[in-house]
Amino acid sequence: MGPIGLPPSAPGQRIGLYGGSFNPAHAGHLHVSRMALRRLGLDRVWWLVSPGNPLKDRRALAGLDERIAQAEGIARDPAIAVTGFEAGIGSHFTVETLEWLKARRPGVKFVWIMGADSLVSFHRWRRFRAIARLMPIAVIDRPGSTLRAVAARGALSLAPYRRPESDAAILADLPPPAWVFLHGPRSSLSSTALRAEA
């Protein structure tokens, strides 16, 4: 890791960025990451453990160091790196993080990864259209979100840039905006449900 916890990368690498609170991380995050590695032909996936989601209640949020340590215990795959570097750069929004990364790792082929449940609220993210212009996006299907996701305001706004699922393997090479919706085996696990059971 670099001085602010940024995982190593090299020009030409295909790296998926999977951001979230990871409160807590669980096997569903691992499932999504392994699907993305395989279907998108990625070299690595970085779990970006955020200081906090501006759209979520932070009162139930465990400390950043605790969430990173717990995520590292779940991410049992050498192709997955866990990092909390967003706190180190003072980023509070995804668009700020992605702009920072693109400026400092211009030769890396980044892909933003998110669950279909996140696509439902994507239009509420700060400058969501700018996010789509920064890098390709892979949306991973989630139980209960399939139809709501593709009918959501963000998805409809970006509909002209949706690529067929068969283009998944070349998504990292496509100029943004470009996105795919990946179907396949789905995990019903969620951090919200796991917190409720604790």
Side-chain angles (χ1 to χ4, degrees), residues 75-106:
R76 302 176 307 275
D77 192 311
I80 299 173
V82 178
T83 173
F85 84 91
E86 285 181 291
I89 65 171
S91 174
H92 298 286
F93 298 97
T94 297
V95 67
E96 296 171 350
T97 300
L98 303 191
E99 287 173 341
W100 190 94
L101 277 174
K102 290 283 287 185
R104 286 158 181 81
R105 299 290 187 271

Side-chain angles (χ1 to χ4, degrees), residues 13-18 29-47 75-81 111 113 138 140 168-169 172 182:
Q13 276 191 316
R14 302 153 69 93
I15 295 177
L17 303 174
Y18 190 18
H29 294 123
L30 189 60
H31 169 78
V32 164
S33 300
R34 286 178 168 161
M35 177 189 280
L37 283 161
R38 184 179 69 254
R39 298 280 303 277
L40 303 173
L42 302 176
D43 297 301
R44 300 198 82 195
V45 169
W46 294 355
W47 286 8
R76 302 176 307 275
D77 192 311
I80 299 173
V111 175
I113 300 167
I140 312 294
L182 297 182

Side-chain angles (χ1 to χ4, degrees), residues 59-84:
R59 288 176 292 185
L61 190 64
L64 180 62
D65 290 342
E66 179 184 341
R67 288 182 285 124
I68 289 172
Q70 197 268 341
E72 288 173 339
I74 294 289
R76 302 176 307 275
D77 192 311
I80 299 173
V82 178
T83 173

